[in-house]
Amino acid sequence: MTYRMFEEKHHASIYQRYRFVPPEEIRDIILHYLERKNVQPHALAVDLGCGTGQNSRLMAPHFQEVVGIDISECQLEEARAVTGFNNITYR
Ligand SMILES: C[S@@+](CC[C@H](N)C(=O)[O-])C[C@H]1O[C@@H](n2cnc3c(N)ncnc32)[C@H](O)[C@@H]1O
C-alpha cells in the first residue's frame, strides 16, 4: 500500500510554514560543481520533487530559469503563492 503524504492542502500549508530553509552549503556544492564543469551561463535548474519551492528559490538568483516540478498540486499552490521570483515556474 502506498500513501502520498504531500497531497493534502493542510499538509502542504504546514510544510510551507515549517520546512526549514535549505542550508547555503547545498547551493554552494551545486554551484561549485557547475564551475568545475565549466558550465556557463547557468541556464536552467530543474527542482524535481520541489515541494513548496524552498530549493527552487535558493537556486533562483543563480540560474536564468528554474523549473520546480512536483506531483502534488497543493504543494505547487503553496510554492506559487511566494512572489518575487519571476524566473521560477512550477509544474
Ligand atoms: C520530502 S518532500 C521534499 C520537497 C522539497 N524538495 C524540499 O526539499 O523541501 C518530497 C516531495 O516530492 C514530491 N514527489 C513525490 N513523488 C513524486 C513524483 N513521482 N514526481 C514528482 N514529485 C514527487 C512530493 O509531493 C513532495 O512534495
Side-chain angles (χ1 to χ4, degrees):
M1 188 178 109
T2 59
Y3 180 68
R4 287 162 56 163
M5 292 174 58
F6 295 88
E7 297 296 301
E8 295 166 12
K9 193 166 183 52
H10 181 63
H11 186 110
S13 159
I14 287 176
Y15 196 85
Q16 176 71 303
R17 188 176 308 165
Y18 295 111
R19 192 266 191 259
F20 60 87
V21 176
E24 293 180 354
E25 285 83 356
I26 290 178
R27 175 204 62 199
D28 293 344
I29 288 168
I30 292 168
L31 294 177
H32 290 154
Y33 175 83
L34 292 174
E35 277 168 25
R36 284 200 304 277
K37 295 284 179 186
N38 209 17
V39 179
Q40 286 289 345
H42 298 155
L44 172 65
V46 177
D47 184 5
L48 183 59
C50 65
T52 53
Q54 279 88 350
N55 286 293
S56 305
R57 292 190 289 278
L58 188 70
M59 290 296 130
H62 306 284
F63 287 82
Q64 291 171 357
E65 181 183 3
V66 178
V67 177
I69 296 176
D70 204 282
I71 201 167
S72 164
E73 196 52 46
C74 289
Q75 292 281 89
L76 293 174
E77 267 178 35
E78 290 286 344
R80 290 183 185 117
V82 180
T83 57
F85 296 88
N86 295 333
N87 62 337
I88 306 178
T89 54
Y90 293 105
R91 305 179 192 172

